[in-house]
Amino acid sequence: MPDYQKFVAAVAEAGSQPEKAFAALEVLTKELVGVKLFTIMTSDTRGKLSERIYSNMPDVYPVSGTKPYNETHWSEITLNQKKTFVANTIEDIANVFDDHALIKSLGCESVINVPIVVGGDVIGTLNCLHDKDFYTKDRIEAAEALKLPGLVCMLLHAQQKKEAK
């Protein structure tokens, strides 16, 4: 069982939410599965749009507006089957992501995208990138423990958006 104490403490802190929770989720992700590039994306499966709401490399992958889904076997696995997508080579990444050259330039050649599911719908993904062949079976299994804190982050983000209206 992962130690969620630091994450729970970050969520309980007043002010600067959901940013504190996002940063705590990044730390937890580094501890559980390892990550170089970490982003959190929302998913609107009906409108086929996503939005980056957190990035540990904002100069390269900024938090920005919405973008349409990339309709590939990635979307079939992650959004339709609601399973974690895994690509452990830059060639496999290039088959599904147009920004594969940028990904490789950051020293990343493997990815896992962990779907966050609520009520049968994928509401977002946790995106973890690292060295070639980094995401072993054990690391992929460990990533399952990120789903609950990922859900908390998504809910905090949704609450913030609602309050901003």
Side-chain angles (χ1 to χ4, degrees):
M1 181 75 170
D3 183 357
Y4 292 116
Q5 289 181 3
K6 292 177 189 171
F7 177 79
V8 171
V11 170
E13 282 186 43
S16 298
Q17 290 295 2
E19 290 77 15
K20 288 180 182 178
F22 292 164
L25 178 56
E26 179 189 348
V27 169
L28 182 62
T29 301
K30 285 179 179 177
E31 291 171 359
L32 288 178
V33 299
V35 67
K36 284 185 176 181
L37 171 60
F38 179 68
T39 66
I40 303 172
M41 304 280 292
T42 64
S43 297
D44 174 359
T45 53
R46 290 181 180 87
K48 296 190 176 187
L49 294 172
S50 60
E51 176 185 13
R52 187 177 302 111
I53 60 174
Y54 180 80
S55 172
N56 72 341
M57 294 185 187
D59 293 344
V60 184
Y61 282 97
V63 172
S64 57
T66 60
K67 66 179 186 176
Y69 282 165
N70 185 6
E71 299 268 352
T72 64
H73 68 276
W74 174 89
S75 56
E76 174 58 30
I77 292 167
T78 307
L79 304 175
N80 297 337
Q81 295 177 23
K82 302 167 182 74
K83 295 179 181 176
T84 297
F85 175 83
V86 182
N88 266 314
T89 67
I90 198 64
E91 294 80 15
D92 289 341
I93 290 172
N95 287 330
V96 294
F97 297 126
D98 293 336
D99 58 345
H100 56 89
L102 177 58
I103 290 169
K104 186 171 182 175
S105 77
L106 298 171
C108 299
E109 294 192 44
S110 63
V111 63
I112 57 173
N113 303 108
V114 180
I116 305 301
V117 182
V118 175
D121 292 322
V122 175
I123 64 165
T125 59
L126 307 179
N127 311 300
C128 308
L129 293 95
H130 214 295
D131 299 331
K132 180 179 180 178
D133 294 321
F134 186 79
Y135 292 110
T136 61
K137 182 180 180 221
D138 288 344
R139 288 185 171 119
I140 295 163
E141 288 174 6
E144 290 295 305
L146 299 173
K147 290 182 175 182
L148 183 58
L151 170 62
V152 170
C153 286
M154 294 289 176
L155 295 175
L156 284 170
H157 172 74
Q159 179 182 355
Q160 179 195 42
K161 283 184 81 166
K162 184 178 176 182
E163 290 173 357
K165 287 185 180 180

